[in-house]
Amino acid sequence: MTRLIFLGPPGAGKGTQAKTLADEWNIPHISTGDILRQGLKDQTPLGVKAQSYMDKGELVPDELVQEMVQERLSQVDTKSGWILDGFPRTVNQAVFLEKLLRILNQNGEKVVNLDVPDETVIARLLERGRKDDSEEVIRRRLEVYRSETAPLIDFYSSRQTLVSINGNQSLEEVTAELKKVIAS
Ligand code: ADP
């Protein structure tokens, strides 16, 4: 049973790695960013509410993403495991998730931190060129990461095994390292 939480700055490669591993293990890849972008495309009430935050590089309010994750983790396909990518992003969300997993009887998750220096992250995001990947918005996302999300590294190291991986390597090298760590 694999339940994995990916931490790391925007552009660390969480999405790419999460997708590769989830496909290989046949478990859902749950990306809050992807779900929000889909909602935006479909103009769901959630997508409409989230848009202004995402465009500015700000976090969408906790209650909105928490409700979304609760709904997603309650679906039957999560019984075989999952990879969470982009959630939690605040200590509040992490506390919420801890309680939710207890209620759903889905504990025993591993937390992996993908470590990548700022220069690499900025270069990668500028290259990716998503709508919210302008230099100004990238800088804001990094600031928000540092103040809101980076504290989760301490949160999880004090609670359970948090593994850090050097994300500043080729995609294949990172995947190989992830598999090694997760198997151990
Ligand atoms: P990145 O690839 O930069 O890590 P994501 O695709 O994970 O970006 O997320 C894009 C945007 O969606 C974020 O900048 C934020 O506005 C919103 N978002 C995604 N996940 C969360 C979350 N857990 N809490 C709040 N906002 C979120």
Side-chain angles (χ1 to χ4, degrees), residues 10 32-33 37 54 58 60 86-87 89 93 128 130 141:
T32 45
R37 276 185 291 277
M54 296 173 78
E58 304 293 340
V60 173
F87 186 93
R89 246 182 169 93
Q93 292 178 12
R128 183 170 75 177
R130 209 169 63 193
R141 299 221 307 275

Side-chain angles (χ1 to χ4, degrees), residues 3-184:
R3 298 191 185 107
L4 267 187
I5 295 173
F6 272 5
L7 294 182
K14 298 187 297 288
T16 312
Q17 295 297 335
K19 191 173 180 330
T20 305
L21 294 176
D23 281 352
E24 188 170 325
W25 296 332
N26 216 3
I27 54 177
H29 165 212
I30 303 175
S31 156
T32 45
D34 285 352
I35 300 174
L36 288 168
R37 276 185 291 277
Q38 187 62 46
L40 220 149
K41 216 172 122 206
D42 300 340
Q43 292 288 294
T44 63
L46 172 73
V48 172
K49 275 187 216 149
Q51 174 157 28
S52 59
Y53 300 97
M54 296 173 78
D55 285 349
K56 284 185 286 204
E58 304 293 340
L59 292 182
V60 173
D62 286 343
E63 311 78 66
L64 285 185
V65 274
Q66 284 170 189
E67 195 183 320
M68 199 171 93
V69 167
Q70 174 158 10
E71 203 211 303
R72 184 63 190 89
L73 283 177
S74 305
Q75 290 170 24
V76 282
D77 64 340
T78 59
K79 296 279 173 267
S80 51
W82 37 257
I83 301 181
L84 262 182
D85 155 22
F87 186 93
R89 246 182 169 93
T90 63
V91 170
N92 232 339
Q93 292 178 12
V95 171
F96 171 87
L97 181 64
E98 199 171 49
K99 286 191 202 131
L100 177 66
L101 294 180
R102 208 176 306 133
I103 293 167
L104 295 175
N105 213 357
Q106 295 191 16
N107 299 99
E109 68 279 14
K110 273 197 177 148
V111 187
V112 180
N113 180 42
L114 276 182
D115 212 7
V116 180
D118 278 7
E119 315 84 74
T120 309
V121 158
I122 294 174
R124 283 185 189 171
L125 292 176
L126 282 173
E127 209 173 303
R128 183 170 75 177
R130 209 169 63 193
K131 183 163 165 268
D132 58 345
D133 285 340
S134 71
E135 192 153 355
E136 193 193 341
V137 177
I138 291 173
R139 282 195 195 292
R140 182 63 195 143
R141 299 221 307 275
L142 278 174
E143 266 173 32
V144 171
Y145 167 76
R146 261 184 234 112
S147 61
E148 303 285 330
T149 311
L152 289 179
I153 298 174
D154 279 344
F155 177 91
Y156 281 117
S157 19
S158 68
R159 246 149 248 256
Q160 61 209 334
T161 35
L162 171 98
V163 203
S164 255
I165 285 194
N166 174 14
N168 199 15
Q169 318 178 69
S170 74
L171 286 179
E172 295 76 17
E173 283 167 322
V174 176
T175 309
E177 213 174 299
L178 278 167
K179 284 186 183 168
K180 214 164 42 183
V181 161
I182 292 154
S184 67

